[in-house]
Amino acid sequence: MFSVLFFNHGCIGKKKSPEKNSGLRKADREQLTYTLPSPKLKGTITVEEALSKRRSHRSYLKTKISAEDLSQILWAAYGISKPLDGYPQTRGGLRTVPSAGALYPLEIYVLIRNVEGIEPGVYKYFSQSHKITCVITKDMKEELSLAALNQKMIHVAPVCLLISAVFSRTTQGYGDRGRERYVYMEAGHSAQNIYLEAEALHLGTCSIGAFNDDEVKKVIQLPDEEEPLYIMPVGNYYNRSEF
Ligand SMILES: Cc1cc2nc3c(=O)[nH]c(=O)nc-3n(C[C@H](O)[C@H](O)[C@H](O)COP(=O)(O)O)c2cc1C
């Protein structure tokens, strides 16, 4: 179902015939890029179990997570679930997250400190190819934690996602309503998917909205047109209730 695209830079490439990718592959010479394992479409718990267990976890172990788990989390966050040709505005097809007008304003970054087989750094996720490309060759989690009122869970977790948005993609179609409502709603959809997928993988996460936007932008070197919306650490957690 998921075609693997090969390209040297960015996320543009020609579709090959559908092919499953069972393992992590380090690809690029120009920029450090990994093709992630194809997401699995069957898990070990039901949606209802994931919903009933979902909690925000803030005490993480530093233990590594697998590339398969990272792949699964990123796919849940914004992966392609129905590839489409001929709809360039979707940049690859329909996704695990609904989007007003299928304009997909979100971008997903992942700060990696401890994932099996992947060098630490800040990576951008490319949904269409299901690849991550390094944008900063340092994990930056300590700096991100400081930009978020020193919330230590960001620093400790082996992985941390950042959801950002290019508002203009949605405002072009929907004006103020797109800016004031739709983009934030979509970030919520993505975040809930991350929570549920984390539960399904017996990992923990926490949606973090308390941070300084300008500082986060600086730490992750976001393009001017992108605004940070959510930070979500992911990892194995201490099995204790925080409330
Ligand atoms: C928009 C939003 C922003 C949040 N920001 C933070 C945050 O900055 N730090 C934090 O520890 N939790 C944050 N949370 C998580 C809430 O504290 C948590 O969802 C709430 O306590 C309910 O607990 P539960 O998620 O385990 O059900 C945020 C949640 C939402 C929806």
Side-chain angles (χ1 to χ4, degrees):
M1 171 176 188
F2 294 93
S3 50
V4 178
L5 309 187
F6 293 93
F7 57 91
N8 285 327
H9 207 84
C11 65
I12 302 155
K14 280 201 167 175
K15 245 181 210 172
K16 287 199 157 191
S17 53
E19 178 185 319
K20 275 261 177 192
N21 176 30
S22 57
L24 181 70
R25 279 184 289 156
K26 192 170 166 179
D28 259 312
R29 276 158 270 140
E30 286 180 31
Q31 224 176 341
L32 184 56
T33 293
Y34 295 88
T35 301
L36 296 167
S38 300
K40 293 192 182 74
L41 302 186
K42 283 222 186 317
T44 55
I45 69 171
T46 64
V47 174
E48 291 78 8
E49 285 171 308
L51 284 167
S52 68
K53 286 184 178 153
R54 186 213 62 80
R55 280 279 76 78
S56 296
H57 295 280
R58 299 179 180 82
S59 302
Y60 297 99
L61 300 165
K62 288 184 178 170
T63 49
K64 69 172 69 127
I65 68 166
S66 67
E68 285 74 17
D69 284 355
L70 176 67
S71 160
Q72 214 62 39
I73 291 279
L74 287 171
W75 179 74
Y78 221 39
I80 304 280
S81 53
K82 185 173 173 55
L84 283 183
D85 285 327
Y87 295 88
Q89 79 280 7
T90 67
R91 298 181 313 287
L94 303 178
R95 306 192 187 200
T96 52
V97 171
S99 178
L103 294 171
Y104 301 106
L106 306 182
E107 296 289 343
I108 311 289
Y109 294 83
V110 56
L111 287 75
I112 292 181
R113 170 166 288 179
N114 202 2
V115 175
E116 204 156 26
I118 301 183
E119 288 176 31
V122 179
Y123 291 80
K124 185 169 180 177
Y125 174 55
F126 291 95
S127 307
Q128 185 171 18
S129 54
H130 201 50
K131 290 184 181 191
I132 51 171
T133 292
C134 189
V135 291
I136 306 175
T137 55
K138 180 174 182 278
D139 78 41
M140 303 303 283
K141 288 207 293 73
E142 195 165 349
E143 291 81 352
L144 189 64
S145 173
L146 289 172
L149 315 181
N150 206 11
Q151 298 192 65
K152 289 266 184 309
M153 57 181 145
I154 296 172
H155 185 186
V156 175
V159 158
C160 189
L161 272 63
L162 172 80
I163 302 175
S164 72
V166 180
F167 277 74
S168 59
R169 288 184 196 147
T170 299
T171 57
Q172 275 162 20
Y174 298 103
D176 287 347
R177 197 165 179 84
R179 180 177 11 262
E180 288 158 15
R181 294 184 178 223
Y182 296 170
V183 172
Y184 298 104
M185 289 169 170
E186 294 184 27
H189 289 300
S190 176
Q192 181 73 358
N193 279 8
I194 295 167
Y195 265 107
L196 296 180
E197 185 64 59
E199 282 302 335
L201 299 170
H202 309 291
L203 297 171
T205 189
C206 179
S207 51
I208 295 179
F211 53 79
N212 180 303
D213 295 2
D214 292 339
E215 285 176 27
V216 168
K217 274 188 92 158
K218 217 185 291 167
V219 167
I220 309 297
Q221 297 174 21
L222 289 182
D224 284 348
E225 59 169 6
E226 274 180 48
E227 296 302 327
L229 299 182
Y230 248 154
I231 296 172
M232 301 192 67
V234 176
N236 293 293
Y237 56 93
Y238 290 102
N239 199 7
R240 66 167 190 238
S241 168
E242 282 152 298
F243 291 101

